[in-house]
Amino acid sequence: MLYPKIPLAQSVLEIFKNKGIQNIVISPGSRNAPLTIGFSNNPFFNCYSIVDERCAAFFALGIAQQKREPVAMLCTSGSALLNYYPAVAEAFYSQIPLIVVSADRPHNKIDIGDGQTIRQENVYANHILYNANLQEEASDVNDTEICEAIDTAFLKRGPVHINVPFEEPLYDTVETLTVTPHFSKRTEEKKTFELTEEISSIWNKSAKKLVLVGELFPDSLESKIVEWLAKDNSVVVFTEKTSNLHHPAFVSNIDTIITPFTEEDFLKFQPELLLTFGGMVVSKRIKAFLRKYQPAHHWHIDPLRAYDTYACLSAHFATTPDEFFGVLMLKAEEAESSYKKEIQNIQLYRAQKHNEYIGQIPFSDFKVFDILSRKIKGAVNLQMSNSSAIRYLQLVDIDPSVSVFCNRGTSGIDGSTTTAIGAAVASDKPTVLVSGDISFFYDSNALWNNYIPENFKIVLINNGGGGIFRILPGHKETQTFNRYFETSHHLTAEYLAGMFGFQYQKAANEEEFEVALDKMFQQNTKPQIVEVFTPEKENDLILKEYFKKLL
């Protein structure tokens, strides 16, 4: 076995192995050479080489998203680790475990004018769960810090940072270890979960209970709980596509339901009890509704965190939804209520209006998502870019067997493609990314990746700019808007596809798009891009008219 000669590097490697951290995403550099040599020469580790550190971090995020365990990324000193920051922030808010390992200059080389040095210690202070700032010599203190960082990533589900200073020479190797690291055992405190009589009484007396489910990993809720919630007439369950929670009685198109509401409708539907679990919620309209028409009680279920999203949080249950509902079901009594029936009547009416409208609109972004909703089926991981794409998806039905993922922690467009590729590498399911053009071109370095699976596919919706800005209030057709907000362009992905070895198809109407999708799903021997062109200046008008036609 080949090891780096530097004892501190050996300690890092052995502790990572002991803690079971197998996936290491490495960006090339010199200062991180001792660890690069160690990781890449040990068969225990799965190593990936990604040049662009921003892409490397989102690639690691995608792997961690699917494996639900910490993934490490390793970079050299200087600005390299700053490029990790967008993915670190996303991991922090999405509760995805990442381990940043940054090589550093020795402490006496910082702030003296030495090359490729910045103040690396605590650089992610506002969005990190643990900072392990190591000293140059191997020691029990360093070992404890490394162990604590890794354990924190596991237990608190988020990003941690290990900063490792190395002095030259960096490339020397040995064939045997010269250190015996100190390993600490990870322990998780187990608590018995109970509900008070007051809590169960509030549940039992509330005739209007709204359960709002945010981002969830598939199969996060036991089927018996799903069925129990679905049959209670006093419970309305609102889900989003990223909730990955399906039942015919649940409402998965929130904006379609509530956007046309009048003041009277909002008051009538105002919940007495709001129960939330899962990650970030996409719909701005449901947030606005619940902030203005607040429930008497808002409970949030999460083992780690509770955000007061609606400014009325009254209780946080630090447990899993399965455990919470498992206890609640034993004490629950169904309140007499027509709450669910009333929303189901609205659902049926909206569905009729939706189908009528979709059937007569021209080819557009909305039509593209209608087609996608019918074409994407089966055990597929659907990765979504942010902005318009994830919002359009909320308006259409999708096959329940499709799993949906999106970087909603910070809702940024900066790493959607790279995250999807990392997720595809980590999953045995086919992966389809649906992306807007600005998000795709922003993250085009994502395609500079030697690990893209043959069954990875991209549907690129090119409407010539940031279409979401046409939907937002305040849009005016001016040179300032077109250049600085929408960022109008005439780019296509055709030459990028050729350069990076993707099979490419394009479509500009409904027939071409359906044919291209059929071909895309029939072929799994090469990564593919289907680029569909939609009308830049009609998409927002079609979407705005949709909500009017729902009345």
Side-chain angles (χ1 to χ4, degrees), residues 52 54-55 413-418 421 437-449 452 458 491 493 496 499-500 502:
D52 183 324
R54 182 172 60 80
C55 290
I413 67 166
D414 38 3
S416 298
T417 306
T418 319
I421 294 171
D437 49 352
I438 299 299
S439 179
F440 175 81
F441 290 120
Y442 190 102
D443 196 25
S444 58
N445 260 7
L447 306 186
W448 186 10
N449 185 307
I452 300 174
I458 299 174
L491 301 174
L496 276 174
M499 183 167 70
F500 291 112
F502 277 69

Side-chain angles (χ1 to χ4, degrees), residues 226-296:
V226 173
E227 293 298 332
W228 177 72
L229 288 169
K231 72 178 185 179
D232 192 324
N233 290 319
S234 66
V235 175
V236 169
V237 179
F238 270 3
T239 67
E240 298 190 311
K241 300 304 182 291
T242 49
S243 304
N244 292 301
L245 188 63
H246 305 278
H247 193 281
F250 294 171
V251 179
S252 64
N253 53 348
I254 299 172
D255 286 358
T256 298
I257 299 297
I258 71 170
T259 300
F261 271 10
T262 63
E263 177 80 8
E264 182 182 358
D265 293 328
F266 280 123
L267 288 168
K268 186 177 181 181
F269 192 60
Q270 181 179 11
E272 299 167 9
L273 169 62
L274 170 66
L275 181 61
T276 58
F277 60 93
M280 300 296 188
V281 170
V282 175
S283 173
K284 293 179 68 174
R285 289 179 169 93
I286 193 66
K287 293 174 191 173
F289 164 44
L290 292 171
R291 286 166 182 163
K292 183 175 180 180
Y293 302 90
Q294 293 181 336

